[in-house]
Amino acid sequence: MVPATARRRRTHAEFTVRLHGFALEALGPAAGIATYDAHTGADFAWTPLSAGMPLDDDAWSLPSATLVRGDLVVALASAPGLARHGYVARTIVAGDRGAAGQALVVDLRGGITTVRFELPASAQRAGPLRLVRCDDPQWLPTFHAATGIELQAGQPTALALGAGDYELIDPIAPERRQRFQVPASGPVVLSPTLAGARGNRP
């Protein structure tokens, strides 16, 4: 029988994370890479981007390490406290990460896009609206998180978002929603239905 201490032993695994297509300066000086268990959130580890170096192909490479033996989350965020639910990009690496001794490289691809939100011509204001990522219901925006997004005519509203599919949702009437993609070819113009949900009421 295997001793209990041996069953609990975990291997410290080192690997390399490569970032492609991100304007890293937009994330600020506290940005970095987080790793943690994909199922439990345990064994959180943080590596600042300052520990890395540029690559010839205009990417960024940095070393990382983890104690996680199963599925592993690798997330890019502007601060450690935002890595779980306010990340810019993330990937999940399967638990069988290759043969022992094999060098592991994790690639994160995407970008950071400033998305501009606009009202339709018939509306003067709209919101507050929830912003969600379609592939992760636990994701939270790093801005406007407490009150939601509010739009007013003549006052531009923009957010820096990572690549992916998002939705704007009226929290009082969640059937009123609008989906959009990042990056987008232009500004996100609210549908008249969503813009008129509450924002035009006196």
Side-chain angles (χ1 to χ4, degrees):
M1 179 178 294
V2 179
T5 54
R7 291 197 302 267
R8 289 196 301 266
R9 187 178 299 124
R10 291 169 292 179
T11 303
H12 180 86
E14 297 183 355
F15 58 98
T16 299
V17 179
R18 296 190 304 205
L19 306 173
H20 306 267
F22 295 95
L24 298 177
E25 63 277 3
L27 294 176
I33 290 291
T35 61
Y36 54 90
D37 189 286
H39 301 290
T40 67
D43 293 315
F44 183 94
W46 178 259
T47 304
L49 293 186
S50 57
M53 59 182 296
L55 298 175
D56 293 338
D57 61 353
D58 199 27
W60 193 259
S61 175
L62 67 159
S64 189
T66 183
L67 292 173
V68 178
R69 296 181 64 180
D71 294 345
L72 170 72
V73 172
V74 179
L76 170 65
S78 57
L82 300 174
R84 297 183 191 275
H85 304 298
Y87 55 84
V88 173
R90 74 171 186 177
T91 189
I92 298 178
V93 183
D96 53 344
R97 294 192 278 269
Q102 180 181 5
L104 177 66
V105 176
V106 177
D107 289 292
L108 269 179
R109 302 179 186 274
I112 304 170
T113 302
T114 299
V115 180
R116 191 169 75 254
F117 298 91
E118 295 183 356
L119 291 167
S122 59
Q124 291 300 307
R125 62 181 186 268
L129 302 169
R130 288 178 54 221
L131 175 65
V132 300
R133 278 192 72 113
C134 297
D135 62 347
D136 183 4
Q138 295 185 336
W139 180 86
L140 296 171
T142 56
F143 302 100
H144 307 280
T147 61
I149 296 176
E150 297 189 59
L151 279 68
Q152 293 190 20
Q155 297 184 13
T157 299
L159 293 176
L161 299 172
D165 292 335
Y166 296 82
E167 276 189 319
L168 289 169
I169 302 174
D170 182 347
I172 302 300
E175 68 276 8
R176 301 179 185 266
R177 57 179 61 209
Q178 181 175 344
R179 188 165 181 162
F180 64 95
Q181 287 186 323
V182 177
S185 57
V188 175
V189 180
L190 262 64
S191 67
T193 299
L194 189 60
R198 286 183 294 154
N200 292 330
R201 297 178 184 175

